[in-house]
Amino acid sequence: MGKNLVIYYVDDDPEDLDVLAEIGMGMGIEVIPIHETNGVQDKICAEKEGTKVIFLDVNMPVRSGFDLLEELKHSETCHNFPIVTFSTGHDLETIEKCWQLGADMYIRKGQSVVRYKEILAQVNSIDWQHYTRNEENFILTA
């Protein structure tokens, strides 16, 4: 699958953005970092061909990932793109809220380069064109 995969990664932490983009580049996966949460729809929906997956940090101070998730899922142009909520937390309340707002998958952020490589490899192996979220595949564990 992976040759056409483009991951748009929205996060308030520039270091996290850079790390995932660099790891992705080394694996042949394009990761486009997005630090600014305003205009996310325009940045994602107007660019690039191929399979788009949105990684969305849940815990951001200015605009929460929950707000962006809800906005993207109600957008005419972005609502069909798979959205992976990405968080350092793993509490059931956060996971349930991501599910209720329509996230396609929940992944706990990596604690190491090895973990990020595992995450990207798994995400890259998914056939996103035919992916259907369900309770069994909602939480990705590597």
Side-chain angles (χ1 to χ4, degrees):
M1 181 79 202
K3 291 185 180 169
N4 294 350
L5 182 66
V6 178
I7 296 174
Y8 289 85
Y9 178 25
V10 183
D11 198 321
D12 64 311
D13 186 334
E15 188 174 310
D16 282 355
L17 290 167
D18 291 343
V19 166
L20 199 67
E22 189 171 316
I23 292 169
M25 185 171 41
M27 297 175 69
I29 301 168
E30 185 171 10
V31 178
I32 298 173
I34 300 174
H35 183 264
E36 179 58 47
T37 57
N38 291 325
V40 168
Q41 289 182 50
D42 296 335
K43 292 173 187 166
I44 295 170
C45 301
E47 294 182 17
K48 299 276 182 191
E49 293 296 318
T51 302
K52 297 177 186 180
V53 176
I54 301 167
F55 271 41
L56 187 57
D57 182 29
V58 172
N59 300 312
M60 294 186 286
V62 177
R63 265 177 102 196
S64 80
F66 298 126
D67 293 339
L68 283 172
L69 172 59
E70 194 166 20
E71 178 183 309
L72 290 167
K73 282 298 181 180
H74 288 95
S75 161
E76 286 185 32
T77 54
C78 292
H79 72 277
N80 287 327
F81 296 143
I83 298 177
V84 174
T85 46
F86 204 47
S87 178
T88 53
H90 202 62
D91 61 282
L92 292 177
E93 185 178 324
T94 298
I95 295 168
E96 180 64 28
K97 189 169 183 178
C98 290
W99 173 263
Q100 290 175 356
L101 291 173
D104 295 282
M105 185 176 285
Y106 180 91
I107 301 175
R108 188 170 184 192
K109 282 187 180 180
Q111 307 280 319
S112 68
V113 170
V114 171
R115 173 71 176 132
Y116 278 121
K117 285 181 179 179
E118 291 170 350
I119 289 168
L120 288 178
Q122 280 193 284
V123 168
N124 194 42
S125 72
I126 295 170
D127 180 357
W128 289 103
Q129 302 292 341
H130 299 98
Y131 176 85
T132 303
R133 82 182 191 126
N134 60 54
E135 290 183 16
E136 288 78 41
N137 68 9
F138 184 66
I139 300 173
L140 182 122
T141 54

